[in-house]
Amino acid sequence: MAGLHFISPDAKEQKLTSCEKTQDSVECVLREIKRRVIARLELCTEIRQLECGNLPIFTTNNNDLLPQKLNTILQKFSTISWSNYCNSVNPIFQEQGLVSSLDIFYEAILRRGNNELIARIAIKPDYPKIAPIFNISINPTVPASIDILRDIEREVNVTWIKPPTLSAQLQRLRACFDIYLESETIVPKEKIFFHPVKGRTRARPYKYLELGGGIFIHR
């Protein structure tokens, strides 16, 4: 659970260690076990809330700002198996060692009107030290290129100042889906942004700033 290694019964493989080093190692291991147990209990509480469709109220801080008023809803949050995850996501996630069978996996369905986004989430044993990894897809009725999906995944997985919680990532994903749908005029525009697209890749204004009532800009 916390990186414990058991001593081999073979005396030839055992090495002599000092009492001081052994004591320091035991203390570090116990602290790590305690940290992980507390983190796992907090994750269980967080997941129970998400399964009920509840997201926390995010307080303002000077690091990663998150909008509060969003139209996209979390329709469903449920666990999925390793095999179902593998059959649904790009194999490159496994090939690059980003996910493994030791992770726990969930599926989140976000919806705004008839438009649906599905996020398949891998949570590492060391959460929240290592943030969950999101892989997303959008229902075929919504035009979305590979570049669009890649940009949203980057926003949710990468562009954080501090390691985010699972709920914070879902909140940002809701915001990104709102912005994408509004920038494509698929739904009425309710967010404030000045340019719907920018550059050759048609990047969207996913970065949120608390100016006035809150605006979205390009990175």
Side-chain angles (χ1 to χ4, degrees):
M1 178 179 177
L4 291 173
H5 296 280
F6 294 95
I7 299 175
S8 171
D10 189 348
K12 295 180 180 179
E13 296 184 13
Q14 297 181 13
K15 297 180 180 179
L16 295 176
T17 58
S18 66
C19 293
E20 292 80 5
K21 289 184 178 179
T22 302
Q23 185 175 359
D24 291 342
S25 298
V26 170
E27 290 177 358
C28 291
V29 168
L30 291 177
R31 281 197 298 269
E32 181 65 11
I33 291 175
K34 181 180 179 180
R35 183 192 67 80
R36 287 200 177 191
V37 169
I38 293 173
R40 187 51 56 96
L41 291 174
E42 291 175 347
L43 175 61
C44 290
T45 301
E46 188 176 11
I47 287 174
R48 281 199 300 269
Q49 292 296 316
L50 294 174
E51 288 174 337
C52 295
N54 299 324
L55 281 162
I57 297 175
F58 297 93
T59 57
T60 301
N61 58 61
N62 295 323
N63 297 313
D64 298 299
L65 300 176
L66 293 169
Q68 299 292 338
K69 297 180 180 179
L70 299 171
N71 300 90
T72 294
I73 63 170
L74 176 61
Q75 185 180 44
K76 184 180 179 182
F77 188 89
S78 58
T79 183
I80 58 174
S81 66
W82 166 241
S83 59
N84 287 342
Y85 180 88
C86 292
N87 293 332
S88 304
V89 305
N90 192 325
I92 196 171
F93 279 68
Q94 305 163 48
E95 295 168 1
Q96 294 186 353
L98 298 176
V99 298
S100 75
S101 59
L102 299 178
D103 303 336
I104 52 177
F105 303 95
Y106 291 89
E107 182 179 85
I109 299 177
L110 276 59
R111 179 177 288 274
R112 180 171 176 180
N114 295 323
N115 308 294
E116 186 177 273
L117 179 149
I118 299 176
R120 295 173 181 90
I121 307 161
I123 303 178
K124 294 291 182 184
D126 207 14
Y127 173 87
K129 184 181 290 186
I130 300 176
I133 298 174
F134 280 60
N135 178 275
I136 67 168
S137 60
I138 298 177
N139 62 336
T141 59
V142 179
S145 65
I146 294 177
D147 287 337
I148 294 298
L149 299 179
R150 180 198 62 194
D151 288 346
I152 295 177
E153 286 178 347
R154 183 188 299 114
E155 285 292 324
V156 177
N157 290 325
V158 179
T159 55
W160 297 89
I161 297 174
K162 292 184 177 180
T165 63
L166 173 61
S167 295
Q169 287 177 287
L170 283 169
Q171 185 77 347
R172 180 173 284 182
L173 183 59
R174 292 174 62 207
C176 288
F177 196 43
D178 270 353
I179 291 297
Y180 176 68
L181 294 175
E182 293 181 20
S183 66
E184 286 288 315
T185 65
I186 297 173
V187 297
K189 180 181 176 182
E190 297 186 15
K191 309 293 182 296
I192 299 176
F193 52 85
F194 302 112
H195 305 286
V197 296
K198 180 181 179 181
R200 296 172 59 184
T201 60
R202 296 178 59 82
R204 266 61 180 187
Y206 293 131
K207 183 176 181 179
Y208 177 72
L209 297 178
E210 283 192 332
L211 297 177
I215 65 171
F216 290 84
I217 64 172
H218 291 86
R219 292 193 182 275

